Amino acid sequence: MSLFSFTLIFAMASLSLCLVMTGIRFAIGPTLPDRITAFDLFVANIIGMVAIYTEFTGNEDFIDVGIILSLFGFLGSISFAYYLMKSTR
Amino acid sequence: MLDNINFLLIREIVSSVLIIIGVVFMTISTIGLLRFPDFYIRMSAITKGATLGLGLILTGMGIYFNEPDMFLKVMLIIGFTFLTSPVAAHVIGRTAVRNKIPFWERTNLEEFKDYLHKEHSAHRDHERDNKQV
Amino acid sequence: MKTVILATAIRILIPIFIIFSVYTLFRGHNHPGGGFIGGLIGAIAFVFHTMTHGPQHTVDTFLKVNLYGYPRQPNQSRSLYLMRMMRVNVWRRRKMARHPEVKHRMIRIESVYIIATGLLLAVTSGVFGLLSGQPFMHAYWTDFYIPILGKPGTPILFDLGVYLLVIGVVLKITFVMSEE
Amino acid sequence: MFLAILAGFLLAFAAPMLYRWLGKWVFVPMALLPFSIFVYLLTLAPAVLNGQNLGELQAWAPSLNINLHFFLDGLSLLFALLITGFGTLIMLYAGGYLKGHPLLGRFYLYLALFMTAMLGLVLAGNIISVFVFWELTSISSYLLIGFGHDKESSRSSALQALLVTGLGGLALMGGMILLGLAGESYTLSELLERGDLVRNHALYLPALVLLLLGAFTKSAQFPFHFWLPNAMAAPTPVSAYLHSATMVKAGVYLLARLTPVMGGTDEWQYTLMLVGGVTTVLGALLATQHTDLKAILAYTTISALGLLVTMTGIGTAPALEAMVVFLLAHALYKGTFFLVAGNVDHATGTRDLTQLSGLSGTMRYTATAALLAGMSMAGLLPFFGFIGKELLYEATLQESPFRWLLFAVSFFSGMVFVAVAIALGFGIFWQRSTRPTPLQHPDKPLLYLPPVILACTGLVFGLLPGFFVTPLLRRAAEAMLGVEQVFELALWHGFNLVLGLSLLTVLLGYVVYRYSNKLLSYASRFNGLYRLGPANLYQLGLNGFLTGATKITATIQNGYLRSYIAAIITAFIALVVLSLSRGGPRLELANRLPELTQLRLYEVVLLMMIIPALIFLFKSRSRLTSIAIMGIIGYSVALFYILFGAPDVAATQLLIETLTVVIFVLILHKLPAFTYLSHASERYKYVLLSLAFGAVMTYVILIVKQYPLDSQLKAYYGQSSYLLGQGRNIVNVILVDFRALDTLGEIVVLAVAAIGIMAMLKLRMQKGDKP
Amino acid sequence: MELILPFLIGILFSASLYLILHRHFFKLILGLILFGLATNLFLFVIGRLTRGGSAIIGPEEKVATEPFADPVPQALLLTAIVIGFGIQAFAIVLIKRVYQSFGTNDLDDMNTTDQIEEKH
Amino acid sequence: MNHLLIVLPMLIPLYGAILSLFSWRYVRAQQIIGILAQACMLIASFMLLFDVNEHGIRTTQIGSWPAPFGITLVADLFSSMMVITSAITGMAIYLFSIKGLDKARQSFGYYPVLMILQLGVSGACLTGDLFNLFVWFEVLLICCFVLIALGGTKPQLEGAIKYVTINFLATGFLLTGIGVVYGILGSLNLAELAVLVRTPVSHPALITMAGMFFLIAFGIKAAIFPLFFWLPASYHTPPIAISAFIAGMLTKVGMYAFIRLFTLVFVTDQELTIPLLTVLAGFTMVLGVFGAASQNDFRKILSFHIVSQIGYMLMGLALYTPLAIAGSIYFILHNILVKTNLFLISGVVAHRHGTFALKKLGGIYLQQPFLSVLFFISAFSLAGIPPFSGFWGKFMLAKAGFEIDSFVIVLVSLAVSLITIFSMTKIWNEVFWKNKPESDPLLNVMTEREKHNNRLLHLPVAFLAVFILFIGLYAEPVVAMAQLAAEQLLNSELYINAVLKR
Amino acid sequence: MKTFIIHFLIAFIGSYLYFKYGDPMLPYNAFWAVVVAVFIMFVLWLTTPFYHRTYFHKLPRALNFIAYFLKELVVANLRVAYDILTPNYRMKPAVVAVPLSVTTDLEITLLANIITLTPGSLMIDISADRKLLYMHTLYVKDNDLESVKYHIKHGFERRLMQLTR
Ligand code: NA
Ligand code: NA
């Protein structure tokens, strides 16, 4: 196992850990904006994982999904905010 | 001379370093997300260690692949993230204020009182509908 | 949900989204992507716009075509008239719009028409085969190659139809919903 | 023959139009048709009387061996003549009876339809086409019985008749098919030769049961007799035609027709004798219990039909002879009586025996016809009815284990017939009365001519039995017996036992007539018995069926979506378990456990994300949180797609997930607080069901994945995606080229969904009941 | 993973069914979406899994070389996802309209069309 | 030419729908496009039927990709007959809709969606590919969703909820079923699958299990026991023009797929499937007809009868003899026409009287004799009274059942048929014969224009009645064709050879 | 600024295409792409009549801005990271109303984004008259809100305005 792949495994593990922690924040909340933030970070984590996985496999095509995810994670956050905003207005 | 340098190895090392730094940043901000006392602090703390971390990871990846395609994509993602994640944070933060998400008790809100007063009186009528969403 | 920051960010994002969506559409034949994904990305641009500005504004901004015209003089030759109409509508729009003689007509591009166009493209791309005695959807490819966009052929036309249709559908859905 | 039937149908459908053109003269063409067919049949008669069987084949559905095969022998000729001859008179009569009725056109339509169907029935030479015409008679009689459609009673009587005969019809169909299977043919002429084959076939008994059910319902045999009196709701011409001469005799015809094929076995004989006998007695008994003219006629008809069935059951040559003779005689006098009753009803406005008297003065012709028919019915010399009764008695007294029983039955009915004949033929017309029932209008020729003609025919046949009638009846009996018949009909057989019995019948009949009032007063005592009678059973059964059906439906279709879904899922689980329980492959997990070591940490983490997310989803009361959880689950699944080499799918999944969130947000923000509606009692049941469902799905995947998959599709697409499809992204090439038709369908779905969403949100009908 | 994923799918199916069997509209729609998700995953997993290699022919190759992912389930899945989306979107809007019209979010109030009306 | 003929029944409605979408704002134009498309569709489908009748099974490979790899469209007699029936029904529905549906609904995409529905029917019937079948079923499904909810009245929404939920589950089962089949056999082409299941190496029990997924999925679509609940809850809620078409066509398309798959692919364990199907058929018939008997609403009676008649079609499959399947096929065709027509008649009645409740209706026998005749023909066709069309189907099924000594199911079917007669006469008695009960006199005042419209509505009803009468009185061509079609179905070699060109 | 971005994109894509499809022999494509992009931008600049001088004057400022931003980003991140990883909180949060000198949409957006991207600070809203920017910040020493404002105004805003004006 080369240094590089070790790095990747380490990165993947850390990101998985992040994912779990984000999940915990999501679960404990306590407010909706907290959950939305957690969701946001969740998306960022997943993009990171996709990036690492892309290096893992050496298959460039996977990162395209990362791009799309980065575009759409934003849409998700905006939508949730929109929801909260609309229900107060 | 150039032939003796193992470009792949250099790339791998640079990439590894960047990735590890990025991942560490990300992990730390995730811990912050768990630890910090109120919503706004959590938000400002991670907005965005995560963004920086992600940027570093992606840069590392771009260097590893060393192809124009990849660079373009990496730049695209970084650009998107740097543009969108603060906007999202702003929008969510603003919404949180409007939804009366409380600040940490040690927060200095002196300069914010006017704003809060204005916002909340404007929406008092709608509070009823918003007890639980 | 109009904040300056969001609005500005979205103004910057929209062209990027659209360029990226077209790129995704055309590279879809060789890489991840294609008509559906591309169409969704393109449509998302408008969804953002709708969410910040409301559907009416989105329609006014993107889905209206202003046409200008003025009555043909009796002794004016037809080709000259056509030329002038072209000029009015293409080169000198801004100026002519304020001209007193010029009549203004606004065409609203209904998203239903986008859907129908998409469907039409998709189906018609398959009919070429039938016309020459081949089965439906028999593929025809050109011999040349366009950079980025790749090799033109009827399957690409089909994908373009998918792309348009998806944009139309998402637009339709979001418009109707946010009008609620 | 085909042309005759076709003409009949065409004329039937032309009737309403003819009525519009010709007004009250519509009866002329309508009567002309049966008359011309009658004449046509008469031209064929010599050949038939010479022993020829005429056939005619018209292809209809040859691939099912169902053809319009027409077949004319003595039996069918007898019935056909009866139908057309009687039909002519009825057509005339109806023209008078329903003069000025706005729906006379339709009446003629139904009547002509019925007549043609009946004609088809007796002429058909293919047993399936027999059934076809049989059903046609059922529906046309349904329309005729319900002719007075604005009365609830008419409608329910019509329904009753249709249901009972419909039941019989369906049984008949089954029976015919079985008979066809047993006899290996649907053609009557072939079947007639294969009696032994059929009788020894395993399907004989079921076929017999079904066929008898058909015949008994149609011919109003016990216990299906109850529809016939109710069917008297129909206008009198209908009662006269359908319920005396023709339709009810279709069952008898069927039995007669099938005698050579199915008859002669014990099952056949005993069933027919038993059912016929009971019907005879019952009909006669019930006839004495009523004062309504048509009801009395109906019950005596039932009784007569019972006799006919009994005779068919006995199956000996004299019995069958007696049967055909009695059939003809009965048709003549009963038809007359029905017409007479109609006349009386029409003229006086009542049909109640007790309120009618002294009509001979005002309704002279009708009264004459009634008298003649009454004498025939009573079996007096020199009427045709006398011959019939003589033969009946003779036949019953032949050597057989039940001779006295059979005789008693026929004697009893004869006695009642005499009483009825006296009451109807003499009582209401000729008995002197101080206050004759007043008439609303005088006797009309169109109304009195047909009964008079009929009654006179009875007299003429009685006086001249040898001419034409005898050969015809002989051929008819021959058709049933299969051997040539030599019997002569004669009025006078000399003084013998039978004559004495006939006289005794008349005398006792008179006694019954005298004490009929007394008998009537007993009627009320039988009320308790009626409650157990089939008419009530029918009503009870119908109501019970409706209540039961409603209850079952209300239980099954209870309106609760979740119980529907639970049923569906239960069915699914049951079916999968059932299919796997039949020696399917075993799931072998043990030797696959080492695979677990290949697990990656991030995969496990992703997995572990989903399960708490699901639990959280159950707990969450916040809509937005739920949506976010769905997003998380969706994104995790998308990541799975990436991990297993499906970037396109992952991208699409992400986009779709996000778009779903957007839609949720756009659409749901106005909804109220998210309340939790629990159904604690059912929860455990549903938890179990859900777990079972999940387990089945898991099992299915595991067991399918136990075997290697060698897909030539994968190889082919991998080979030719770039070389032939000009694309490196195989998935996309599949989508836009290899399987572009799927994608076309997919985008069509999207387009329709968009249209639907728009329509649903923008189009709000205020009142939607308008179709 | 081949051994674990089936269980995950089973759990997803169970969860979705349990949600569908709730009385609340919103749970119903969540259940339906989850059911769709489970179905898609089922389709994907049952067509055998390939780690890493996607179904894309490399830039220097003319034919795909093993190991590459089976493109067929992927293509089917794509179509199914999109179709599912169309239907889901419609269902969400439907539920919104139902709520608007009936003012309830209790499915048990929705049983009038199945009722048998009295006879006379 | 061959390629064109098979695709035309799909292309015509699709182009019609596209043109209708382009003329979104002009309802009149949509109507004209619709009628023209229907006329073309009729011609095309007749040509296809004649072609298939003459040359046997015809196929085309979409995109020129060879058989197991590309999607095959297969036109055999059964599918061509389905297509032609859909064309006939479609024509009637279009004629009816012009005057029989409110303008508001017409202007919200009714015509294009209806046309796409027809596309779905053609696609589902013509495709020779399992997944493509799924896609066309989804097209059908979404069209139904939209149409059932179109207008958004309360009952419609309520029906739609149930319809959507249960059919969504059906979609799930269908998809998972396809997954299972692909997971076992690695192919999607029906002919290829037919070859694979008939080779000894495959795992018969697994294939039967896969069949169960399809049994549930298509069982829901076809509304068999115990999966039919959605149908009586929803079919009577939308406007008549809509419910007529979906009530007439949709469950039968489900049945089509059912028959296709269970004669071609899922034949590995017939010792299990056949008794199973028989039982299901019996229950479907009986419960459906019970439901119908308990209802007092014109449309609801008709809706429940759909279920009951599905039982007959299933019975044909369950008996699994050439004659039985021919009976099923004939029954399907007959039932589509008759059921559609009955729904249309209920629409004409309600157009005039504003209600479907039996107790509020009456007097049509005197007022509208022509309509009465049309109803009578259709109702007694449905009840299977000879010589109307239903008789032939019933006869074939009964005969087939007796031939293999399946007495119970045949007797059940005959009993059910009696109750069907009862239901139909109930409608006849209440709606046509009975005098109209006294009600608000203002309610039924119709303008001359409305009366004229009402008269125009008779046209499609009569149009269908002509076909109903034709296939009843002159059943031979259809019966013979159904028998040939059944032979094609049972002799899978024909199908396989036609598709795989062996 | 906008033109700059657009030109840069055009240039980059052009050069990218050249190297991607035009000349596969040269290594280090990305590097050459940037070189060629700068060259193309130069040509564009020469041939564009509308932009006389701004490009190359602003290029160093842009680089300066980016460098400053990255520095702030890393420093702030480290500060927050320290706070996260140590048991006690050092932070003293406050919401500060920063008076704005920038006026255009683009400027405001960029400023807000940069503030938000820097860990420890979060832009909450802009006042309706666009004069004040409400910012949530974590590290306010001794409740000295003015120093925070000064830091923003003289750090980010000044550099931003140099770039855009
Ligand atoms: Na695509
Ligand atoms: Na149906």
Side-chain angles (χ1 to χ4, degrees), chain G residues 58-109:
Chain G
K58 286 188 177 174
L59 193 58
R61 291 180 198 167
L63 293 177
N64 180 15
F65 178 77
I66 291 172
Y68 179 74
F69 167 62
L70 287 178
K71 188 203 97 189
E72 284 292 313
L73 191 63
V74 174
V75 167
N77 255 315
L78 288 174
R79 193 158 54 173
V80 175
Y82 180 80
D83 218 358
I84 290 173
L85 296 175
T86 51
N88 298 321
Y89 300 130
R90 284 198 316 155
M91 58 192 163
K92 299 204 169 57
V95 178
V96 187
V98 185
L100 282 180
S101 307
V102 290
T103 50
T104 63
D105 287 357
L106 189 69
E107 288 167 344
I108 294 176
T109 308

Side-chain angles (χ1 to χ4, degrees), chain F residues 230-231 235 245-252 306 310 339:
Chain F
W230 55 271
L231 189 150
Y235 264 10
F245 197 51
I246 45 191
M249 277 316 295
L250 261 286
T251 44
K252 280 61 164 196
I306 296 172
I310 286 296
K339 188 58 80 180

Side-chain angles (χ1 to χ4, degrees), chain E residues 19-77:
Chain E
L19 284 171
I20 289 173
L21 290 173
H22 273 70
R23 275 170 69 179
H24 198 286
F25 274 153
F26 194 73
K27 299 266 175 183
L28 170 70
I29 195 83
L30 291 182
L32 288 183
I33 295 176
L34 212 53
F35 189 83
L37 207 70
T39 310
N40 292 339
L41 209 52
F42 183 103
L43 189 62
F44 185 68
V45 169
I46 207 160
R48 310 301 185 273
L49 301 172
T50 315
R51 268 210 190 84
S54 64
I56 296 176
I57 300 172
E60 284 87 30
E61 293 159 345
K62 287 205 177 331
V63 297
T65 44
E66 291 283 358
F68 66 102
D70 189 348
V72 182
Q74 292 189 28
L76 306 189
L77 195 49

Side-chain angles (χ1 to χ4, degrees), chain F residues 206-228:
Chain F
L206 285 187
I207 292 161
T208 314
M209 181 196 75
M212 293 305 157
F213 281 77
F214 288 88
L215 193 145
I216 293 285
F218 288 118
I220 291 177
K221 309 252 175 208
I224 68 171
F225 171 83
L227 316 162
F228 61 72

Side-chain angles (χ1 to χ4, degrees), chain D residues 483-538:
Chain D
V483 283
E484 196 144 350
Q485 288 302 299
V486 271
F487 66 86
E488 285 296 336
L489 292 184
L491 256 184
W492 189 246
H493 290 262
F495 293 100
N496 53 15
L497 174 67
V498 176
L499 184 66
L501 289 174
S502 285
L503 281 176
L504 190 63
T505 315
V506 175
L507 282 177
L508 285 176
Y510 181 72
V511 174
V512 172
Y513 168 68
R514 282 293 298 171
Y515 296 99
S516 60
N517 285 339
K518 201 119 192 205
L519 281 175
L520 269 174
S521 68
Y522 289 132
S524 56
R525 298 190 191 169
F526 288 103
N527 282 349
L529 212 62
Y530 285 157
R531 221 166 288 140
L532 297 172
N536 269 305
L537 284 183
Y538 163 84

Side-chain angles (χ1 to χ4, degrees), chain F residues 73-201:
Chain F
L73 294 189
V74 190
D76 66 353
L77 273 173
F78 190 17
S79 49
S80 324
M81 285 162 95
M82 288 296 289
V83 169
I84 208 164
T85 321
S86 129
I88 294 169
T89 323
M91 188 63 162
I93 296 295
Y94 267 82
L95 290 175
F96 187 87
S97 306
I98 291 172
K99 292 293 177 195
L101 191 71
D102 46 282
K103 280 282 169 299
R105 283 191 172 100
Q106 286 191 37
S107 57
F108 267 91
Y110 171 73
Y111 290 105
V113 174
L114 205 58
M115 213 102 66
I116 289 176
L117 186 67
Q118 232 174 349
L119 159 74
V121 173
S122 302
C125 295
L126 290 174
T127 189
D129 187 279
L130 197 56
F131 189 76
N132 200 237
L133 184 69
F134 161 78
V135 170
W136 295 123
F137 262 97
E138 294 311 289
V139 171
L140 289 177
L141 193 64
I142 189 82
C143 290
C144 285
F145 288 177
V146 172
L147 288 174
I148 281 184
L150 188 67
T153 62
K154 277 190 168 193
Q156 275 185 290
L157 292 174
E158 221 187 295
I161 280 278
K162 286 164 190 163
Y163 188 86
V164 167
T165 312
I166 295 182
N167 278 287
F168 190 87
L169 293 184
T171 299
F173 285 120
L174 190 50
L175 203 54
T176 41
I178 290 171
V180 174
V181 168
Y182 184 78
I184 300 169
L185 298 171
S187 182
L188 295 166
N189 186 293
L190 290 180
E192 175 90 354
L193 290 176
V195 175
L196 292 174
V197 298
R198 285 170 174 80
T199 51
V201 284

